[in-house]
Amino acid sequence: EEWKDKGAAVEKRREVDANGNVVVRVVKRGVRDFNFGRTLGEGSYSTVSYVLFVLAATDRTTLKEYAIKVLDKRHIIKEDKVKYVNIEKNTLNRLTQHPGVVRLYYTFQDERSLYFVLDLATGGELLSTLKRLGTFDEECSRYYAAQILDTIEYMHSRGVIHRDLKPENVLLDDKMRVKITDFGTAKILDPPRTPRHEGDPNGVSGGDTGDSIEESRANSFVGTAEYVSPELLNDKATCKASDLWAFGCIVFQLLAGRPPFKAGNEYQTFQKIVNLEYEFPKGFPPVAKDLIQKLLVLDPAKRLKIDEIKSHEFFQGVEWGPALWKRKAPRL
Ligand SMILES: Nc1ncnc2c1ncn2[C@@H]1O[C@H](COP(=O)(O)OP(=O)(O)OP(=O)(O)O)[C@@H](O)[C@H]1O
Ligand SMILES: O=C(O)C[C@H](Cc1nc2cc(Cl)cc(Cl)c2[nH]1)c1ccc(Cl)cc1
């Protein structure tokens, strides 16, 4: 069927030419500029998912490989998800300078679909690797946890709270390096319009701080049960520390092979979270246990900050910054 390409995206690239002059190359891309290949994944077609599928695709001009996420316009409008799509686009456009975030190159549309052209993460989901191996040893856990934490630090520095961090949303590239995805439910902390009252270390924004309807709708979002923070359950508030609660759950899960809070149904899982009901399996490494106990703290203001986590004994010997992304992934 002829895909009449309506809105090609335009990307401006600054390059240096043979004579050393900086030139700005305008790159226009649409559906017809790609050869579409294998299916990488299907949208979960759960309530939030408006994703039809994610396909591998090759740029016909540069032969570079991408992942192209195809969204169904009709479904988005019917499910009233326009806001999520535009949050995903705006968030990804703010997070372009870090190896740990799936990079967005172009967006375009035709009459039926919207397209996100993204980094291709050929290593699949961290969750799949974890399920295959059962648990990670300490060295592997440290490597993946460090890259995830470094990426969370970058997101927060750009005023973005992910709000749905979980092993399914941590993809791996061809060098088994972390690529965090799924920003449709992220929160962008725009510069405070009104002076926030003291004691808001992380700019907590909740339904009752007089947020606009839009924001309170965004706050009506609840992440994935096992990783939801107590503050979201108690007062519908999300803050940067909520991502660090999820981080604590992920570190636990890498070493234990299961998340700390898991019950027969969502309601029971939520009960365990707000009552901090979890226990470590026998033989759980004590240093990791100490770190997790300082992350899975009910009061978000009392949770370790990112700098304190980076200097925790669990990350002893980890070289933070660019070096972290140059080292070879430990053999799983
Ligand atoms: N950049 C990518 N590279 C490779 N595979 C990807 C990429 N983005 C997504 N996928 C695969 O496609 C699947 C669906 O994509 P995505 O998670 O964005 O949609 P979704 O509707 O949010 O799905 P879910 O709700 O299951 O997370 C993912 O589970 C992942 O396996
Ligand atoms: O910002 C842009 O580039 C323009 C559009 C904005 C936009 N146009 C839309 C049309 C529909 Cl039907 C639904 C949504 Cl969410 C839409 N969002 C756009 C196009 C593609 C993608 Cl992936 C996101 C947003």
Side-chain angles (χ1 to χ4, degrees):
E1 174 201 351
E2 174 52 36
W3 275 345
K4 286 177 286 310
D5 162 24
K6 280 265 174 351
V10 168
E11 190 189 81
K12 291 187 174 56
R13 285 204 189 127
R14 296 170 65 79
E15 286 170 359
V16 180
D17 70 9
N19 319 326
N21 303 319
V22 175
V23 293
V24 177
R25 217 151 60 80
V26 176
V27 184
K28 196 167 136 65
R29 283 289 182 280
V31 169
R32 283 172 306 187
D33 296 299
F34 297 93
N35 283 332
F36 286 84
R38 69 190 188 287
T39 299
L40 295 163
E42 316 273 338
S44 60
Y45 249 87
S46 63
T47 44
V48 179
S49 180
Y50 35 71
V51 177
L52 273 178
F53 32 71
V54 181
L55 303 168
T58 309
D59 181 319
R60 288 200 177 128
T61 319
T62 65
L63 299 186
K64 188 170 174 335
E65 274 212 297
Y66 294 97
I68 298 193
K69 197 148 116 168
V70 186
L71 313 183
D72 177 57
K73 281 182 171 179
R74 200 177 38 75
H75 187 67
I76 293 171
I77 292 174
K78 190 160 64 70
E79 300 287 324
D80 186 22
K81 299 289 176 205
V82 172
K83 180 170 181 48
Y84 289 100
V85 176
N86 293 322
I87 287 175
E88 181 159 13
K89 176 181 156 76
N90 298 336
T91 311
L92 286 172
N93 280 336
R94 285 170 78 115
L95 302 175
T96 56
Q97 309 300 324
H98 195 281
V101 178
V102 167
R103 172 105 188 258
L104 174 65
Y105 296 90
Y106 311 100
T107 59
F108 47 81
Q109 57 184 300
D110 55 25
E111 59 276 20
R112 277 192 355 205
S113 312
L114 300 179
Y115 302 84
F116 283 95
V117 181
L118 302 157
D119 269 329
L120 173 61
T122 45
E125 300 175 1
L126 179 64
L127 180 71
S128 318
T129 307
L130 181 59
K131 279 187 171 162
R132 198 170 62 241
L133 298 173
T135 60
F136 283 4
D137 64 25
E138 274 191 82
E139 192 204 353
C140 290
S141 300
R142 181 174 17 263
Y143 170 83
Y144 288 104
Q147 291 200 339
I148 294 169
L149 185 66
D150 197 66
T151 311
I152 293 174
E153 181 175 44
Y154 169 70
M155 284 180 216
H156 289 183
S157 72
R158 301 286 299 132
V160 171
I161 306 176
H162 187 283
R163 301 206 301 175
D164 195 15
L165 285 174
K166 52 182 179 174
E168 294 94 310
N169 288 338
V170 178
L171 303 183
L172 300 167
D173 67 9
D174 52 337
K175 297 187 183 64
M176 293 310 270
R177 288 190 190 129
V178 157
K179 288 272 177 206
I180 293 182
T181 184
D182 252 352
F183 287 84
T185 49
K187 184 149 185 56
I188 300 181
L189 294 177
D190 37 25
R193 297 174 298 290
T194 51
R196 288 187 189 289
H197 56 83
E198 294 312 305
D200 254 8
N202 306 304
V204 174
S205 64
D208 57 352
T209 52
D211 285 333
S212 68
I213 304 290
E214 291 283 289
E215 286 208 359
S216 58
R217 189 144 64 110
N219 279 316
S220 65
F221 163 73
V222 171
T224 305
E226 287 77 10
Y227 308 90
V228 160
S229 61
E231 60 271 15
L232 188 73
L233 295 171
N234 287 327
D235 20 306
K236 279 218 156 311
T238 43
C239 55
K240 290 180 177 178
S242 309
D243 279 345
L244 297 179
W245 171 278
F247 175 72
C249 294
I250 292 171
V251 177
F252 180 103
Q253 185 170 354
L254 294 179
L255 287 158
R258 63 170 172 82
F261 306 102
K262 182 113 184 101
N265 63 49
E266 279 202 353
Y267 179 76
Q268 288 166 346
T269 302
F270 292 159
Q271 284 298 309
K272 289 189 172 231
I273 291 168
V274 296
N275 298 320
L276 204 63
E277 264 174 57
Y278 76 104
E279 62 231 17
F280 294 94
K282 270 189 354 340
F284 196 89
V287 171
K289 184 171 179 177
D290 180 74
L291 171 64
I292 290 163
Q293 285 169 331
K294 292 169 182 168
L295 287 169
L296 300 186
V297 172
L298 291 178
D299 178 351
K302 294 203 177 77
R303 252 165 247 158
L304 286 188
K305 302 285 174 287
I306 288 180
D307 284 342
E308 296 165 322
I309 305 170
K310 292 170 88 168
S311 47
H312 187 278
E313 194 191 339
F314 178 69
F315 288 112
Q316 193 168 29
V318 168
E319 262 189 286
W320 297 98
L324 181 64
W325 300 85
K326 293 196 173 48
R327 52 170 288 206
K328 213 163 118 34
R331 220 177 46 69
L332 279 165

